[in-house]
Amino acid sequence: MLELRNVSFSVEDEQGKKEILHDLNLKIDENKFVVITGPNGGGKSTMARLIAGIEKPTSGQILFDGEDITDAGITERARKGISFAFQQPVRFKGIQVVDLLRIAAGKKISVSEACEFLSEVGLCARDYVYREVNASLSGGELKRIEIATLLARRTRLSVFDEPEAGIDLWSFQNLIRIFEKMRREISGSSIVIISHQERILKIADVIVVLKNGTISKQGSADEILPEIIGTDAAVDACARLTDK
């Protein structure tokens, strides 16, 4: 499905060239739940943005279904079947939730179908389906609506950058259920999640540990999780979310 070949990414700052990612090689097969974790500042969100096409590698190749998409932008990649959920969801002034879901689905879904997607993410449909996707919505509400759009899209590769950010404990528990549902119901698809959360790591088929811009570990949850529990690569969700 997706392959990163010798991918590097650097930026220019006041002190000169700074390399964020160095010579990454990663394959993501169909029907896989992949969690990318690691210390803060290790390059995880940058990797997600490269996969989505928001950023382009300084060197290396990105392939999707064997096709070189290195130079393809986010819109072209979306058409090919790659979707991306931001850590901080985008607000769309003047667009109602129902219209956003229709855009995501790529067809004119009914209001009742839109309501089903909202119900999946724990939102009372009648309260949200005609709301504008603007500043009147909280960060947690926007996060749930964004996840609903990915459910509506049913893409082959869904990339989530820290989807647990800004949501409460109930929403987090529901989030786990949604990921499991997506993996089960969308045949031939894969999910890539950037996360520190132990309960997300536990349901992964593959865990990739990114540290200092390179992949330091990669393997099944059974192999990798015992090595990183209690480190800054993994944080138990309960401790953080129950304080909200």
Side-chain angles (χ1 to χ4, degrees):
M1 178 180 276
L2 183 81
E3 183 177 359
L4 276 62
R5 291 183 182 172
N6 305 114
V7 168
S8 296
F9 180 77
S10 59
V11 295
E12 294 284 342
D13 60 19
E14 295 177 354
Q15 299 172 339
K17 186 177 180 180
K18 180 180 180 181
E19 192 169 53
I20 308 299
L21 297 173
H22 176 69
D23 201 27
L24 298 183
N25 287 282
L26 177 67
K27 286 186 178 181
I28 297 172
D29 296 324
E30 291 184 352
N31 300 308
K32 294 296 182 182
F33 188 98
V34 180
V35 180
I36 300 171
T37 192
N40 290 331
K44 301 184 298 298
S45 290
T46 300
M47 180 191 279
R49 292 168 72 87
L50 287 171
I51 293 171
I54 298 168
E55 303 282 2
K56 292 184 180 180
T58 306
S59 61
Q61 289 180 296
I62 300 175
L63 290 86
F64 187 61
D65 289 337
E67 178 185 356
D68 189 338
I69 60 167
T70 309
D71 295 323
I74 189 170
T75 302
E76 186 177 349
R77 294 190 197 196
R79 291 193 184 112
K80 293 180 183 297
I82 299 174
S83 58
F84 181 72
F86 291 87
Q87 186 175 345
Q88 297 296 328
V90 179
R91 299 177 188 270
F92 299 93
K93 187 175 180 180
I95 297 179
Q96 291 181 332
V97 171
V98 63
D99 294 323
L100 187 62
L101 288 168
R102 285 169 176 163
I103 292 169
K107 59 184 179 181
K108 189 171 175 59
I109 61 173
S110 66
V111 172
S112 62
E113 287 175 310
C115 289
E116 288 179 15
F117 291 123
L118 293 173
S119 296
E120 285 283 355
V121 297
L123 294 176
C124 179
R126 68 173 180 270
D127 294 337
Y128 289 92
V129 71
Y130 293 118
R131 290 272 298 276
E132 279 194 19
V133 189
N134 58 22
S136 69
L137 295 168
S138 70
E141 289 169 329
L142 283 168
K143 178 72 75 173
R144 295 199 212 182
I145 290 167
E146 184 179 48
I147 293 169
T149 64
L150 266 66
L151 290 174
R153 287 205 65 206
R154 298 181 65 86
T155 49
R156 293 194 57 233
L157 181 65
S158 299
V159 183
F160 295 84
D161 188 2
E162 296 197 21
E164 69 276 4
I167 64 173
D168 57 26
L169 180 59
W170 182 91
S171 299
F172 181 81
Q173 292 168 336
N174 200 42
L175 192 63
I176 299 294
R177 182 189 61 77
I178 289 168
F179 291 146
E180 291 175 330
K181 178 182 174 71
M182 289 176 69
R183 180 170 57 172
R184 185 174 62 250
E185 294 186 357
I186 306 177
S187 178
S189 69
S190 289
I191 301 170
V192 175
I193 298 180
I194 309 299
S195 181
H196 292 282
Q197 302 297 345
E198 185 178 331
R199 281 186 286 172
I200 292 178
L201 291 163
K202 282 181 176 178
I203 63 172
D205 296 313
V206 178
I207 295 175
V208 178
V209 180
L210 197 63
K211 184 177 181 180
N212 297 325
T214 62
I215 295 173
S216 63
K217 294 180 183 8
Q218 180 179 343
S220 68
D222 289 341
E223 294 171 328
I224 303 298
L225 204 52
E227 300 181 29
I228 63 175
I229 291 300
T231 70
D232 55 359
V235 178
D236 183 25
C238 286
R240 285 172 41 173
L241 293 174
T242 51
D243 290 336
K244 295 184 178 182

